Amino acid sequence: MEFKVGDAAIVLPSLHVTIIAIIITIFLVRWSKQLETGRFKVFFYFLLSAYIAPIYSRSTEEDVFELWIPLGFIVIFFYMFLSKTKHPSKIKASILGLCIALYQLVIIY
Protein backbone atom coordinates (compact mmCIF):
# COMPACT_ATOMS: atom_id res chain seq x y z
CA MET A 1 0.00 0.00 0.00
CA GLU A 2 1.20 3.47 -0.78
CA PHE A 3 -0.13 6.71 0.66
CA LYS A 4 1.03 9.87 -1.10
CA VAL A 5 1.55 12.91 1.07
CA GLY A 6 2.63 15.85 -1.03
CA ASP A 7 5.96 14.99 -2.64
CA ALA A 8 6.60 12.07 -0.27
CA ALA A 9 4.92 8.71 0.10
CA ILE A 10 4.35 6.31 2.97
CA VAL A 11 4.88 2.76 1.78
CA LEU A 12 3.41 -0.08 3.87
CA PRO A 13 3.89 -3.80 3.36
CA SER A 14 1.18 -5.83 1.70
CA LEU A 15 -1.99 -6.58 3.62
CA HIS A 16 -1.26 -10.23 4.44
CA VAL A 17 2.18 -9.34 5.88
CA THR A 18 0.62 -6.60 8.01
CA ILE A 19 -2.07 -8.94 9.35
CA ILE A 20 0.50 -11.64 10.16
CA ALA A 21 2.66 -9.07 11.98
CA ILE A 22 -0.31 -7.92 14.07
CA ILE A 23 -1.23 -11.52 14.98
CA ILE A 24 2.39 -12.33 15.92
CA THR A 25 2.57 -9.22 18.11
CA ILE A 26 -0.67 -10.16 19.88
CA PHE A 27 0.64 -13.69 20.57
CA LEU A 28 3.99 -12.43 21.86
CA VAL A 29 2.38 -9.88 24.18
CA ARG A 30 0.01 -12.53 25.54
CA TRP A 31 2.85 -14.99 26.10
CA SER A 32 5.06 -12.36 27.71
CA LYS A 33 2.35 -11.68 30.29
CA GLN A 34 2.59 -15.32 31.40
CA LEU A 35 6.20 -14.79 32.54
CA GLU A 36 6.74 -13.56 36.07
CA THR A 37 10.01 -11.76 35.39
CA GLY A 38 11.83 -10.73 32.23
CA ARG A 39 8.80 -10.31 29.99
CA PHE A 40 10.94 -8.97 27.14
CA LYS A 41 12.78 -12.30 26.85
CA VAL A 42 9.91 -13.79 24.82
CA PHE A 43 10.56 -11.20 22.11
CA PHE A 44 14.28 -12.04 22.08
CA TYR A 45 13.54 -15.75 21.79
CA PHE A 46 11.24 -15.01 18.84
CA LEU A 47 13.65 -12.68 17.07
CA LEU A 48 16.66 -14.94 17.52
CA SER A 49 14.83 -18.06 16.38
CA ALA A 50 13.58 -16.30 13.24
CA TYR A 51 17.18 -15.76 12.03
CA ILE A 52 18.28 -17.71 8.95
CA ALA A 53 21.81 -17.96 7.60
CA PRO A 54 23.53 -19.45 4.56
CA ILE A 55 25.77 -22.40 5.36
CA TYR A 56 26.85 -23.32 1.84
CA SER A 57 27.33 -21.23 -1.26
CA ARG A 58 28.37 -22.33 -4.73
CA SER A 59 28.79 -20.07 -7.71
CA THR A 60 28.43 -21.27 -11.28
CA GLU A 61 28.49 -19.41 -14.57
CA GLU A 62 24.70 -19.23 -14.69
CA ASP A 63 23.66 -18.73 -11.07
CA VAL A 64 24.63 -18.76 -7.41
CA PHE A 65 23.32 -21.55 -5.17
CA GLU A 66 23.05 -20.93 -1.43
CA LEU A 67 21.86 -23.40 1.19
CA TRP A 68 20.05 -21.62 4.02
CA ILE A 69 19.10 -23.03 7.45
CA PRO A 70 17.22 -21.60 10.45
CA LEU A 71 20.40 -21.10 12.46
CA GLY A 72 18.76 -18.97 15.15
CA PHE A 73 16.23 -21.66 16.01
CA ILE A 74 18.96 -24.30 16.21
CA VAL A 75 20.94 -22.15 18.66
CA ILE A 76 17.84 -21.40 20.77
CA PHE A 77 16.82 -25.08 20.71
CA PHE A 78 20.18 -26.24 22.04
CA TYR A 79 20.22 -23.44 24.62
CA MET A 80 16.77 -24.44 25.89
CA PHE A 81 17.67 -28.14 25.74
CA LEU A 82 20.66 -27.57 28.01
CA SER A 83 18.89 -25.04 30.25
CA LYS A 84 17.14 -26.08 33.45
CA THR A 85 14.17 -23.72 33.09
CA LYS A 86 11.90 -24.37 30.14
CA HIS A 87 8.94 -22.01 30.26
CA PRO A 88 6.14 -22.83 27.80
CA SER A 89 5.94 -19.20 26.65
CA LYS A 90 9.58 -19.23 25.57
CA ILE A 91 9.07 -22.52 23.73
CA LYS A 92 6.00 -21.14 21.95
CA ALA A 93 7.87 -17.97 20.96
CA SER A 94 10.79 -19.95 19.55
CA ILE A 95 8.45 -22.22 17.57
CA LEU A 96 6.71 -19.14 16.19
CA GLY A 97 10.14 -17.81 15.20
CA LEU A 98 10.83 -21.12 13.45
CA CYS A 99 7.62 -20.67 11.46
CA ILE A 100 8.76 -17.22 10.35
CA ALA A 101 12.20 -18.64 9.45
CA LEU A 102 10.55 -21.35 7.36
CA TYR A 103 8.44 -18.68 5.64
CA GLN A 104 11.65 -16.79 4.83
CA LEU A 105 13.18 -19.99 3.44
CA VAL A 106 10.17 -20.54 1.19
CA ILE A 107 10.48 -16.98 -0.09
CA ILE A 108 14.20 -17.50 -0.82
CA TYR A 109 13.75 -20.80 -2.64
Side-chain angles (χ1 to χ4, degrees):
M1 289 189 233
E2 183 176 342
F3 299 106
K4 294 185 179 184
V5 182
D7 293 336
I10 299 173
V11 181
L12 298 174
S14 60
L15 185 61
H16 74 282
V17 173
T18 306
I19 291 172
I20 290 171
I22 291 170
I23 291 170
I24 287 172
T25 306
I26 290 170
F27 278 137
L28 291 175
V29 168
R30 185 180 301 164
W31 293 335
S32 69
K33 289 180 181 178
Q34 294 175 359
L35 291 176
E36 297 161 359
T37 58
R39 292 185 172 183
F40 61 91
K41 290 181 182 178
V42 172
F43 296 99
F44 287 132
Y45 276 81
F46 168 74
L47 289 176
L48 289 175
S49 63
Y51 176 71
I52 60 172
I55 60 167
Y56 178 75
S57 180
R58 179 155 180 121
S59 178
T60 62
E61 293 179 5
E62 297 88 25
D63 203 7
V64 175
F65 173 75
E66 291 183 333
L67 183 62
W68 294 75
I69 62 165
L71 186 64
F73 178 76
I74 294 170
V75 170
I76 292 292
F77 176 76
F78 282 121
Y79 173 75
M80 289 175 50
F81 182 72
L82 299 174
S83 176
K84 293 180 182 176
T85 58
K86 297 174 182 70
H87 198 278
S89 296
K90 293 177 183 177
I91 295 171
K92 291 176 193 175
S94 63
I95 291 173
L96 186 61
L98 175 65
C99 293
I100 297 300
L102 293 176
Y103 175 76
Q104 291 175 352
L105 288 175
V106 167
I107 296 296
I108 289 174
Y109 290 123

